[in-house]
Structure formats: C-alpha cells, structure tokens
Amino acid sequence: MSNTASSSHQSFTSFANGWLIRHRYFVEQLMCASSSDETNSITLEEEQQSLVTQFLSHCLQYYQEKYAAVSIAGDNVFTFFCPPWFSSYAKLILWVGDFKPSLIFRLTDASVDDLTSHQRDRISCLRSETRRKEREVMRDFALVQQSVADPPVMLAARRVGVVGMVDGEETDLEEAMEVLKSGMAAAMNNADQLRCSTVGKVVEILTPSQAIKVLRTIGELHLRLRELNVVERDHD
C-alpha cells in the first residue's frame, strides 16, 4: 500500500469518527422533532424541514468524503468494501460497500403509517426504479470481476508463488488488478450515488414530519451498527 493510499484511509477514518459524533447529535434532534407537540404547526413544519435538509447534507458529506478517499485509495480500495469501522453485523447487510438502496423502502414502511394513496403509488414506482438501477450496478460490477477472471490473467495469478511468471505475465496481472481496483471504485461510487438519490427522492415524497420519522430510523440504525462494533472490540 502506498503512503498516499495509507494517508487517505487514515484521513477518512479520522473524518468518519468526527462525523459519527455529529451523527449522534442529529439523531437526538430527529428524536426530539418526531415527538414534538408544538401547537404552531407552521413553525413546527418549517423547523422539521430545516432539520431534514441539514441531516441530508450531513449524510451527503459522508459520501463525498468517501468518494474522495476511494479515488486515491489504490490497493486500499478493497477496505471500503468491508469497512473495519462497521461491525460484523453491519457487514452482513453490506451491498457494494454499504446499505442496499432499496432498504430505505423497508424502513419507510416500518416508520410511517399515514401515507396517502398517492404517496404509496409514487413510492411503489420509485421502489421499482431503484431495484432496476441496483441490477444495473451489480451487472457492471460483475463485468469488472469477470474481466479479471479471463484465462490469461488467472494463469498468471496461479503462477505466483509456484513457478514464477514468464515475461509479460507480471504486467498482465498488474494491469488486471488496476482494472479491478478502478472498476470496484466506480461501482462503489455508482452505488453510493444511488443510495443518496434514493433517500432524497423518498424524502421528496414525504411530508416533513414523515421524513423526520424515516431519517430518525435510518440514523438510529447506523448508530446501532457502529455501537455493535465498539462492543465487539471491547470483547476481543
């Protein structure tokens, strides 16, 4: 791993720790907003909308920083597909390095019980669109993996540590690994964009009070998965 890649990973880890502190604060704010009993509904709705906007910006910052780190991660790009800052439980639901975008619909169903028929129709359409895009991401990701599994590359890889590589095979293997790392980074970026856009589109369909409930559920889930990681480290 190059010094630049190592520095990038350490920088993102430091950012993620600070981001988590701010995340806890936002979850507390979402909890308060979802249980507020203010009588001035106009003022309440404005405050809820402001909090929704702030929380979405907070989440977007995470993925922007992650994209920057992955772009210069080099060999360390593989780390982002199984992040050490996630618990083993969190890794069970990983999809291209993070949560599957369609998970947001399950969380919405669990959080909001007053959707109108129009909202349900719009969410149903969005669910179908998201699943189609998930398949596209997985198809592109599979093509990247398949390119590395081509016979000449696999033959060169098998020679490593056995009889050594002949002229040209080492270059083929290095080029294949660069293609794999670049392809994986691109797949993760596409997946992250889909994650962000799906959450944003769901929130657009909801009222501010409904959005608060969904974002609170998302925020609490992320905290639980990170806190499980702390418990696991304490028992190691």
Side-chain angles (χ1 to χ4, degrees):
M1 184 190 305
S2 69
N3 291 334
T4 301
S6 177
S7 176
S8 171
H9 176 245
Q10 292 172 358
S11 176
F12 182 77
T13 300
S14 177
F15 160 78
N17 289 334
W19 181 89
L20 186 62
I21 294 173
R22 297 189 293 277
H23 188 76
R24 288 195 180 97
Y25 167 78
F26 273 115
V27 170
E28 291 174 358
Q29 295 296 104
L30 290 166
M31 291 174 63
C32 292
S34 63
S35 59
S36 177
D37 58 355
E38 290 185 26
T39 55
N40 190 330
S41 60
I42 296 179
T43 300
L44 175 59
E45 184 171 326
E46 290 175 348
E47 292 177 349
Q48 289 176 331
Q49 185 59 59
S50 176
L51 181 55
V52 167
T53 301
Q54 291 177 56
F55 185 73
L56 290 177
S57 296
H58 160 74
C59 293
L60 181 61
Q61 182 191 23
Y62 176 88
Y63 289 105
Q64 289 174 332
E65 292 290 333
K66 178 182 174 185
Y67 174 73
V70 169
S71 298
I72 57 175
D75 294 342
N76 216 34
V77 67
F78 303 110
T79 301
F80 289 87
F81 278 81
C82 192
W85 51 88
F86 278 8
S87 72
S88 59
Y89 296 97
K91 293 170 186 175
L92 293 176
I93 64 171
L94 283 182
W95 181 85
V96 196
D98 211 314
F99 73 90
K100 196 170 186 178
S102 54
L103 175 62
I104 184 64
F105 299 107
R106 292 170 55 188
L107 298 180
T108 300
D109 291 340
S111 306
V112 182
D113 58 6
D114 60 346
L115 292 173
T116 66
S117 58
H118 181 58
Q119 285 177 315
R120 292 185 186 280
D121 289 343
R122 291 180 65 189
I123 287 178
S124 178
C125 290
L126 181 58
R127 190 194 307 258
S128 298
E129 176 188 346
T130 299
R131 287 177 173 168
R132 176 181 59 79
K133 291 182 177 180
E134 286 176 343
R135 290 192 294 271
E136 291 177 357
V137 170
M138 290 306 297
R139 179 199 62 203
D140 293 343
F141 190 32
L143 289 175
V144 172
Q145 294 173 307
Q146 181 180 340
S147 69
V148 181
D150 286 344
V153 177
M154 292 306 297
L155 178 60
R158 291 192 188 100
R159 287 179 178 270
V160 177
V162 181
V163 295
M165 290 183 286
V166 299
D167 291 343
E169 287 185 337
E170 183 175 356
T171 299
D172 289 342
L173 185 58
E174 290 177 351
E175 291 177 352
M177 290 305 297
E178 289 303 316
V179 169
L180 176 61
K181 288 182 287 187
S182 176
M184 289 181 70
M188 179 173 290
N189 183 43
N190 291 337
D192 285 345
Q193 289 181 348
L194 182 57
R195 282 183 262 269
C196 292
S197 66
T198 301
V199 173
K201 289 177 181 178
V202 167
V203 167
E204 288 178 0
I205 295 172
L206 304 176
T207 65
S209 61
Q210 291 171 334
I212 287 287
K213 294 176 182 178
V214 173
L215 296 180
R216 171 185 173 177
T217 302
I218 295 173
E220 289 177 333
L221 174 62
H222 185 88
L223 280 182
R224 285 198 295 271
L225 294 175
R226 286 295 298 267
E227 286 165 355
L228 283 171
N229 195 26
V230 173
V231 172
E232 288 175 357
R233 290 200 304 267
D234 290 344
H235 284 80
D236 285 344

